[in-house]
């Protein structure tokens, strides 16, 4: 059977593109090498799926450091508000949380996946479980997709294979090779939104501990200047740190040296924090400092903070000097960690890099090299911070590509 459209990749962008195109009468087939569609989508947002950010396009673009200008037309054609209306129209109630992050009311990413699958089924989208080996072309135009020993013929192809992060979910970088074989330039893939490795061994001792309502700063030590600062949640691991704040901070790690600075008590300035310590010390003057500090901090953090301050954990409150108290305040407000690097790209939430924007039409996501070839989602050299922005890129680019294919189908059938 000949199709109007073949989509390589059954993730967020691929499934959305299939729905958008099929709703316009485009005969569509999705080729996915996993046995299940939306495998990566089902685990995003810790299994909750931050589908978009409830804000206007100006704010969305401010949170896309790679490719924001390129995405102007795509976002104009399908905004965050369109994404919210789309999923609620599919029967998935949504809610907006801190930072305008949008989640299913059910807190289940699987509801998003199932809604897309159900709509695809209703529209008659064909799904083939197979590895796409390449795109068939003739005289500079798409003819279909090669699947090893078989072929699928289609007038248009959308490559929506994702990047190279979370390879176990199917984003194994294979789409880059397919695009490269067609003459496209691939901007070197790099990890973005990835855990950070640090020098200090105390992180290993605190592994598994989550800190909420702290302020994290990333300091460029060469310039002694903060390049990122935000309040929220982070997590200690055996290699360093992770969690929402850390993943966002990782996007700013370039070719320089950095340190992370944690303000463990952002609601209190130095003066108020010192007054709090004085009150606690006065009320518990017969106890050891480690005991008193447990009223301020999770137990696992107490010793590392006192180590930073140069105060022994068994020091009695009555022996604490004014200088030591100032050192404790400083350690609480400026808990420093030395950045040694980022975790591997396989552990990144998204990939920064991909098919060069210079070779893609920003209005249609169409290839400037091959007629009938389009791209959608993470395979494109666009990347954003955490907060639902990357899935919005997936949905907006999928919509642009599907709309272009729909217009082409209409012309071909005239």
């Amino acid at each position: 059977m000949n199709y109007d459209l073949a989509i390589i990749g059954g993730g967020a962008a691929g499934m959305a593109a299939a729905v958008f195109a099929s709703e316009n009468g485009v005969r569509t087939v999705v080729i996915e090498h996993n046995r299940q569609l939306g495998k990566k989508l089902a685990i995003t947002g810790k299994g909750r799926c931050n589908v978009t950010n409830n804000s206007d396009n100006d704010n969305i673009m401010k949170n896309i450091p790679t490719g924001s200008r390129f995405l102007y037309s795509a976002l104009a054609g399908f905004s965050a508000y369109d994404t919210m209306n789309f999923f609620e129209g599919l029967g998935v109630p949504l809610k907006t949380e801190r930072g305008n992050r949008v989640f299913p009311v059910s807190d289940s990413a699987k509801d998003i996946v199932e809604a897309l699958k159900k709509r695809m089924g209703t529209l008659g989208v064909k799904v083939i479980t197979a590895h796409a080996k390449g795109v068939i072309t003739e005289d500079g135009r798409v003819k279909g997709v090669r699947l090893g020993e078989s072929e699928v013929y289609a007038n248009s192809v959308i490559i929506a294979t994702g990047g190279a992060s979370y390879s176990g979910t199917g984003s194994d970088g294979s789409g880059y090779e397919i695009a490269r074989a067609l003459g496209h330039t691939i901007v070197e893939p790099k990890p973005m939104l990835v855990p950070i490795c640090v020098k200090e061994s105390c992180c290993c001792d605190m592994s598994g501990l989550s800190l909420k309502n702290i302020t994290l700063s990333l300091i460029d030590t060469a310039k002694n200047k903060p390049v990122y600062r935000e309040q929220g949640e982070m997590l200690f691991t055996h290699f360093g740190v992770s969690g929402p704040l850390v993943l966002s901070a990782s996007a700013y790690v370039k070719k320089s040296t950095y340190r992370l600075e944690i303000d463990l008590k952002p609601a209190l300035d130095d003066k108020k924090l010192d007054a709090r310590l004085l009150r606690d010390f006065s009320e518990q003057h017969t106890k050891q400092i480690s005991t008193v500090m447990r009223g301020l901090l999770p137990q696992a953090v107490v010793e590392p903070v006192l180590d930073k301050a140069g105060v022994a954990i068994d020091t009695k409150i009555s022996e604490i000097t004014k200088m030591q108290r100032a050192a404790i305040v400083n350690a609480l407000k400026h808990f420093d960690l030395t950045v040694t690097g980022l975790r591997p790209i396989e552990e990144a939430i998204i990939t920064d890099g991909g098919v060069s924007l210079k070779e893609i039409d920003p209005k249609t996501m169409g290839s400037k090299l091959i007629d009938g070839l389009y791209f959608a989602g993470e395979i494109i050299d666009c990347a954003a911070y955490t907060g639902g922005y990357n899935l919005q890129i997936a949905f907006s680019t999928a919509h642009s590509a599907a709309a272009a294919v729909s217009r082409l189908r209409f012309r071909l059938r005239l």
Side-chain angles (χ1 to χ4, degrees):
M1 178 179 178
N2 288 348
Y3 295 91
D4 297 316
L5 171 63
I7 300 173
I8 306 175
M15 287 193 290
V19 171
F20 297 144
S22 298
E23 287 180 338
N24 288 325
V26 176
R27 293 173 303 175
T28 303
V29 60
V30 173
I31 301 163
E32 168 58 49
H33 61 249
N34 282 323
R35 292 184 178 180
Q36 61 191 82
L37 296 171
K39 190 172 181 179
K40 183 177 178 181
L41 182 60
I43 64 171
T44 59
K46 296 181 181 179
R48 297 176 63 215
C49 193
N50 183 187
V51 291
T52 189
N53 191 277
N54 189 357
S55 56
D56 60 26
N57 286 343
D58 286 341
N59 180 66
I60 300 289
M61 291 178 67
K62 287 177 184 176
N63 285 277
I64 304 175
T66 305
S68 60
R69 291 181 62 186
F70 170 85
L71 292 166
Y72 180 86
S73 293
L75 289 166
F78 198 79
S79 68
Y81 307 127
D82 293 320
T83 296
M84 294 169 68
N85 289 334
F86 172 69
F87 281 107
E88 292 200 320
L90 294 182
V92 184
L94 303 175
K95 61 181 177 179
T96 301
E97 297 186 357
R98 181 183 57 82
N100 292 323
R101 290 168 166 82
V102 179
F103 296 89
V105 169
S106 65
D107 285 328
S108 175
K110 291 182 180 179
D111 286 355
I112 297 294
V113 176
E114 290 303 316
L116 288 168
K117 287 169 61 178
K118 182 179 179 181
R119 185 60 176 155
M120 287 169 59
T122 301
L123 292 166
V125 175
K126 173 73 172 177
V127 177
I128 296 176
T129 303
H131 283 269
K133 300 298 183 181
V135 173
I136 305 166
T137 62
E138 184 179 302
D139 298 326
R141 171 155 195 87
V142 161
K143 290 297 179 181
V145 178
R146 189 171 63 255
L147 307 177
E149 297 180 359
S150 63
E151 296 176 338
V152 173
Y153 296 101
N155 297 322
S156 300
V157 170
I158 297 176
I159 301 179
T161 52
S165 58
Y166 282 162
S167 59
T169 64
S171 298
D172 57 5
S174 59
Y176 300 143
E177 298 310 313
I178 294 174
R180 187 180 282 117
L182 295 168
H184 275 281
T185 303
I186 305 300
V187 177
E188 181 186 1
K190 301 183 293 292
M192 184 168 172
L193 306 184
V194 65
I196 295 176
C197 301
V198 303
K199 178 182 178 181
E200 287 76 7
S201 60
C202 63
C203 290
C204 186
D205 297 332
M206 294 186 284
S207 181
L209 174 67
S210 178
L211 296 179
K212 298 182 179 180
N213 299 319
I214 57 93
T215 296
L216 181 72
S217 301
L218 179 71
I219 312 295
D220 184 334
T221 55
K223 300 177 182 178
N224 196 28
K225 178 182 177 181
V227 294
Y228 169 87
R229 177 173 290 146
E230 191 63 63
Q231 186 171 346
E233 182 179 350
M234 63 170 288
L235 173 73
F236 290 104
T237 70
H238 66 282
F239 54 76
V241 286
S242 187
L245 290 180
V246 173
L247 298 178
S248 293
S250 72
Y252 294 84
V253 175
K254 307 298 181 184
K255 294 182 179 179
S256 186
T257 55
Y258 300 90
R259 77 173 187 273
L260 291 168
E261 186 176 278
I262 306 169
D263 183 347
L264 294 161
K265 294 294 174 182
L268 302 174
D269 60 23
D270 288 23
K271 186 176 180 180
K272 290 180 179 178
L273 184 55
D274 186 51
R276 166 71 187 273
L277 286 179
L278 273 173
R279 187 183 74 237
D280 290 351
F281 288 1
S282 176
E283 293 173 352
Q284 305 176 67
H285 63 277
T286 61
K287 298 180 179 179
Q288 293 183 345
I289 183 64
S290 59
T291 302
V292 178
M293 292 296 288
R294 284 199 286 272
L296 274 175
L297 300 168
Q299 184 171 348
V301 188
V302 170
E303 186 170 353
V305 165
L306 291 176
D307 283 345
K308 293 277 185 183
V311 178
I313 61 171
D314 58 354
T315 304
K316 293 181 179 179
I317 293 298
S318 58
E319 298 172 352
I320 297 291
T321 66
K322 183 178 180 180
M323 187 176 294
Q324 286 177 316
R325 195 176 74 243
I328 293 172
V329 169
N330 186 69
L332 288 168
K333 299 292 290 182
H334 307 278
F335 189 86
D336 289 348
L337 298 170
T338 308
V339 175
T340 58
L342 302 176
R343 293 294 287 178
I345 196 169
E346 292 81 9
E347 297 181 27
I349 290 179
I350 62 162
T351 306
D352 188 3
V355 179
S356 172
L357 303 183
K358 297 177 182 178
E359 299 166 359
I360 303 175
D361 184 335
K363 293 182 179 180
T364 65
M365 298 301 127
S367 166
K368 294 180 179 180
L369 309 182
I370 306 291
D371 289 341
L373 178 67
Y374 302 85
F375 300 95
E378 195 180 341
I379 191 171
I380 300 171
D381 183 23
C382 295
Y385 303 133
T386 57
Y389 305 107
N390 287 290
L391 276 179
Q392 184 58 48
I393 292 174
F395 300 136
S396 293
T397 55
H399 185 269
S400 293
V405 170
S406 300
R407 291 192 295 269
L408 175 63
R409 170 191 174 275
F410 179 75
R411 291 197 301 270
L412 290 174
R413 294 198 175 186
L414 285 178

